[in-house]
Amino acid sequence: MAHRRLTTAQAIVEFLKVQHSESDGRRERLIGGMFGIFGHGNVAGLGQALDECGEGMPFFQPKNEQAMVHTALGYTKAMNRRATLACSASIGPGSTNMLTGAATATTNRLPVLLLPSDTFAHRRPGNVLQELEHPTEYDATVNDAFRPLSRFFDRIARPEQIVASFPEAMRVLTDPAETGAVTVSLAQDVQGEAFDVPDSFLRERVWTIRRPTPDQTDIRNVAQIIADSDRPLIIAGGGVRYAEADAELVAFSKAFGIPVMETFAGKGVSQGTALALGGGGTTGTGAAAAIARSADCIIAVGSRLTDFTTASRSVFEQARRFVSINVNASDAHKLGAVPVVGDARLALEALHAALAERNYGTSRAYRDEVAVTIDAWWDTYRQSIQARTDEKMGQGAIIGHVNRAAEAGDVVVAAAGTPPGEIMKAWDNANGSQCFIEFGFSCMGHEIPAGLGVALARRNEGHVYVVIGDGTYLMSPTEIVTAAQERAKFTTVVIVNSGYQCIRALQEATTGTDNFGNEFRRRTDNARSLDGAYIDVDYAANARSMGAEAFEAHTPDELDEALAAARTVEGPSVVVVHAKERESSAGSGLWWDLGVAEASSLERTKQAYECFVEGRARQKTLV
Ligand SMILES: Cc1ncc(C[n+]2csc(CCOP(=O)(O)OP(=O)(O)O)c2C)c(N)n1
Ligand SMILES: [Mg+2]
């Protein structure tokens, strides 16, 4: 058999260089590059291999292993899951730093290839640096922690194992239902061991990203359920985006007069229908909440139907039937829905035809009611974000300014804090911009790295705005250095409100306490809680020190100027906006289930519990 003598790591690099994805006739390099931080676990293995055989496999150097996984997630979102990045980490802490990234990938159904290094397979040196030494499971290493977080996990303890393992890893990466974190743990000694690598392993391969065809019986059943409904509502999730079914969704909504609310991952996909309710659920618009409360039939398309979307299963007060279109069978069966397991675009096309045959359409009265509800919501929201001239700006107003600065082809990235909810309510995609909101894991620290990933995937293809709070900035700003190295062009808008303010507001609502441990204040004397003066962090200086150009804004005019200036920077830019500490923009009014204290000696906490119990009365058991 024809072969080449290569180390395991060299064979992996050669293999990854020739993997492609194909969907709808479009071919992409599946692994667009490799990020890695070297340590003793991979410097002589994958590090050597990238140095010797890396021509055609771009290498990037991040500053934190968790961050590099988030960068890969931004990259794959920009590539609509047709390509991703590989991430190499040294053993021990380098590897475990990727765990949060793995969970973010799997929760969001986003493909990423993780290559954590592992302890010695041959065990000749005895216990090694950064080894866990599990007391009862002698073969366990820290990398076993990836198992529940990954959609595919394997450990390479002999070189030849990669021949069977890596094709499987590629299959899972490109499977629309199964994709997520794909982890191949590489023993540090094995990375450098050579073997006769069969040529067949190193040949070019194309992995088809399939559109699974829905079952015709399911389509007929679901068409009948929709045809029997008077007040149907579509929930459009990330699956619509990944299946590139936006046009089909909008056509469906328009043809049958069905309103659409979007999830975080689906934000923007219903752009173009007059019946767009905007973001829905707990942090969505009041319009989406009103229609969801009174809808009789819920049509979920590509949604994981999590608590923020369903208001912890309290919002569908009148719904008699649920249907769910999803490529993933488990999602399609949630809420006791009648399932359509398959590709969103194919399912919408088939349902469209079936409903057209039945001459289905909602009543004029329902459509008018939806339109009036949308207009009324916008009036309420716009009024609520109007600041007095002597006031600092609120987040709704700030998001509005970023929205107006954005142009067709631009992307806004958000994940945690106040920004995702505010973008859900306020961001208007009519300018042709896209929202990449990571709210499956809502991981603080995702945003700047993900913005870098989007910018790397879409060089010269529109501007990227990352919108974060000061808490998130403090958690993970260091990929700004990587962005400066790569001259990656994106603007991070840091909303400074001196704390974890969305949680402070949540704390107030669920415990009655004004602020316990959520603001960036100094401790006075031996006070139990942090109640002193705010710490005045110089975010602009911090960003400049890492290679970004930074701008500061206190007023709406300064913000517009800063955003315009940032757009022209060839590399990372940061706009620091000084915002008011407490938010007051109009919301959905919907409930969210939390573990609220059932017993307390504090009157304010007892009251918060009463409120909570009222909300819980609306929660439905849906199976
Ligand atoms: C890694 C991580 N830790 C904790 C949380 C819980 N959490 C959600 S939002 C938030 C505060 C975010 O603060 P900031 O970025 O300043 O935004 P703000 O709430 O002030 O708008 C926290 C702690 C999280 N989502 N992710
Ligand atoms: Mg904050």
Side-chain angles (χ1 to χ4, degrees):
M1 196 163 51
H3 63 260
R4 283 167 71 188
R5 189 145 182 93
L6 297 171
T7 69
T8 305
Q10 289 161 0
I12 291 169
V13 172
E14 294 293 356
F15 173 87
L16 294 178
K17 283 200 286 198
V18 291
Q19 304 305 306
H20 295 83
S21 73
E22 192 172 271
S23 56
D24 301 331
R26 254 176 321 182
R27 195 170 283 201
E28 301 281 356
R29 269 279 296 273
L30 179 56
I31 307 296
M34 190 176 300
F35 269 70
I37 293 183
F38 299 129
H40 69 282
N42 57 350
V43 70
L46 264 175
Q48 189 283 331
L50 284 162
D51 183 25
E52 185 174 337
C53 330
E55 186 72 43
M57 174 56 74
F59 173 75
F60 303 91
Q61 174 214 80
K63 306 297 166 285
N64 172 300
E65 291 89 352
Q66 180 190 143
M68 75 180 162
V69 186
H70 292 303
T71 299
L73 299 183
Y75 182 92
T76 194
K77 263 205 169 178
M79 299 300 290
N80 220 12
R81 307 200 301 187
R82 294 190 304 274
T84 186
L85 301 171
C87 300
S88 166
S90 187
I91 69 170
S95 291
T96 54
N97 265 356
M98 294 201 295
L99 290 169
T100 301
T104 310
T106 295
T107 310
N108 285 282
R109 315 272 155 84
L110 292 171
V112 61
L113 179 62
L114 304 181
L115 304 173
S117 303
D118 213 332
T119 51
F120 279 83
H122 60 49
R123 298 182 179 171
R124 282 198 289 267
N127 294 118
V128 296
L129 178 66
Q130 299 173 334
E131 183 173 338
L132 176 67
E133 293 190 62
H134 193 282
T136 56
E137 295 180 29
Y138 203 60
D139 66 342
T141 77
V142 294
N143 286 2
D144 286 289
F146 282 95
R147 289 179 188 271
L149 309 179
S150 303
R151 299 306 306 257
F152 175 88
F153 179 90
D154 197 10
R155 171 172 282 132
I156 301 299
R158 290 176 62 92
E160 310 87 308
Q161 288 176 335
I162 64 167
V163 175
S165 182
F166 273 76
E168 271 298 287
M170 301 300 111
R171 181 186 66 71
V172 175
L173 281 176
T174 50
D175 184 314
E178 283 187 43
T179 197
V182 165
T183 306
V184 186
S185 180
L186 303 170
Q188 56 166 314
D189 51 340
V190 178
Q191 288 180 44
E193 280 174 13
F195 75 117
D196 292 337
V197 185
D199 279 357
S200 60
F201 178 69
L202 301 174
R203 75 181 153 81
E204 207 162 279
R205 262 178 235 233
V206 180
W207 300 89
T208 305
I209 302 178
R210 299 203 165 74
R211 292 186 177 276
T213 312
D215 187 284
Q216 276 309 310
T217 313
D218 289 341
I219 293 290
R220 268 197 303 278
N221 288 342
V222 163
Q224 195 54 49
I225 290 168
I226 299 172
D228 289 342
S229 73
D230 298 320
R231 302 175 64 88
L233 165 68
I234 295 168
I235 298 176
V240 175
R241 181 191 302 274
Y242 303 136
E244 296 182 355
D246 314 35
E248 288 72 16
L249 178 92
V250 169
F252 190 84
S253 162
K254 282 181 170 170
F256 308 113
I258 307 179
V260 187
M261 69 172 234
E262 296 161 341
T263 71
F264 285 99
K267 173 69 185 133
V269 295
S270 67
Q271 178 56 43
T273 170
L275 299 178
L277 298 160
T282 307
T283 48
T285 67
I291 299 302
R293 279 196 162 116
S294 59
D296 63 359
C297 172
I298 307 299
I299 308 161
V301 190
S303 170
R304 293 163 53 242
L305 295 168
T306 60
D307 59 350
F308 266 75
T309 299
T310 69
S312 302
R313 303 190 171 186
S314 70
V315 65
F316 306 121
E317 293 172 11
Q318 306 294 327
R320 287 177 289 111
R321 304 304 298 268
F322 290 84
V323 304
S324 180
I325 299 168
N326 208 296
V327 74
N328 181 302
S330 149
D331 287 330
H333 285 79
K334 284 178 178 167
L335 305 188
V338 178
V340 175
V341 180
D343 175 74
R345 189 197 281 179
L346 297 184
L348 283 168
E349 281 171 353
L351 271 178
H352 197 128
L355 285 172
E357 245 174 50
R358 288 168 167 83
N359 281 322
Y360 177 69
T362 58
S363 68
R364 167 67 32 213
Y366 182 50
R367 299 177 197 202
D368 289 348
E369 180 190 326
V370 170
V372 169
T373 310
I374 292 171
D375 287 348
W377 153 256
W378 278 115
D379 285 347
T380 310
Y381 180 76
R382 284 202 189 100
Q383 269 177 20
S384 76
I385 63 169
Q386 257 172 18
R388 293 193 315 268
T389 42
D390 58 336
E391 263 184 335
K392 287 183 185 167
M393 273 180 285
Q395 304 231 4
I398 294 167
I399 301 288
H401 283 266
V402 182
N403 197 170
R404 286 187 289 279
E407 297 173 4
D410 290 358
V411 168
V412 61
V413 176
T418 312
E422 221 52 42
I423 290 172
M424 279 288 270
K425 288 190 290 188
W427 192 275
D428 185 352
N429 297 93
N431 58 3
S433 60
Q434 291 191 68
C435 300
F436 288 178
I437 310 179
E438 186 286 290
F439 215 74
F441 212 50
S442 184
C443 185
M444 287 168 75
H446 167 82
E447 302 91 329
I448 292 176
L452 167 64
V454 179
L456 290 177
R458 298 162 39 110
R459 281 194 188 273
N460 314 318
E461 262 184 68
H463 200 66
V464 184
Y465 292 95
V466 172
V467 184
I468 55 173
D470 41 5
T472 291
Y473 182 88
L474 291 175
M475 199 172 275
S476 183
T478 49
E479 290 315 300
I480 289 175
V481 178
T482 313
Q485 287 174 299
E486 302 296 338
R487 296 173 69 81
K489 182 174 161 65
F490 64 96
T491 300
T492 302
V493 179
V494 185
I495 302 177
V496 176
N497 60 9
S498 301
Y500 303 134
Q501 295 292 359
C502 73
I503 305 298
R504 191 210 56 74
L506 186 64
Q507 180 172 57
E508 197 171 11
T510 56
T511 72
T513 300
D514 182 46
N515 166 42
F516 176 72
N518 275 313
E519 291 191 304
F520 302 155
R521 292 177 183 271
R522 289 174 200 280
R523 192 178 299 283
T524 43
D525 303 326
N526 289 323
R528 205 168 56 81
S529 90
L530 297 166
D531 62 356
Y534 288 123
I535 292 271
D536 195 10
V537 179
D538 192 339
Y539 294 94
N542 184 279
R544 277 184 205 114
S545 76
M546 290 189 282
E549 271 197 49
F551 308 85
E552 287 203 71
H554 297 82
T555 64
D557 288 345
E558 284 176 11
L559 178 55
D560 288 339
E561 275 170 38
L563 288 168
R567 241 190 124 86
T568 64
V569 174
E570 292 302 326
S573 54
V574 172
V575 173
V576 177
V577 197
H578 298 273
K580 59 180 167 193
E581 285 79 31
R582 313 231 154 164
E583 277 306 305
S584 53
S585 75
S588 70
L590 294 178
W591 183 69
W592 187 32
D593 201 349
L594 285 168
V596 174
E598 201 171 348
S600 170
S601 56
L602 302 173
E603 205 44 49
R604 58 178 190 263
T605 306
K606 283 184 195 163
Q607 274 172 21
Y609 185 71
E610 296 299 312
C611 273
F612 165 74
V613 172
E614 262 173 51
R616 193 169 61 189
R618 282 194 291 277
Q619 194 169 40
K620 280 188 177 179
T621 305
L622 296 165
V623 282

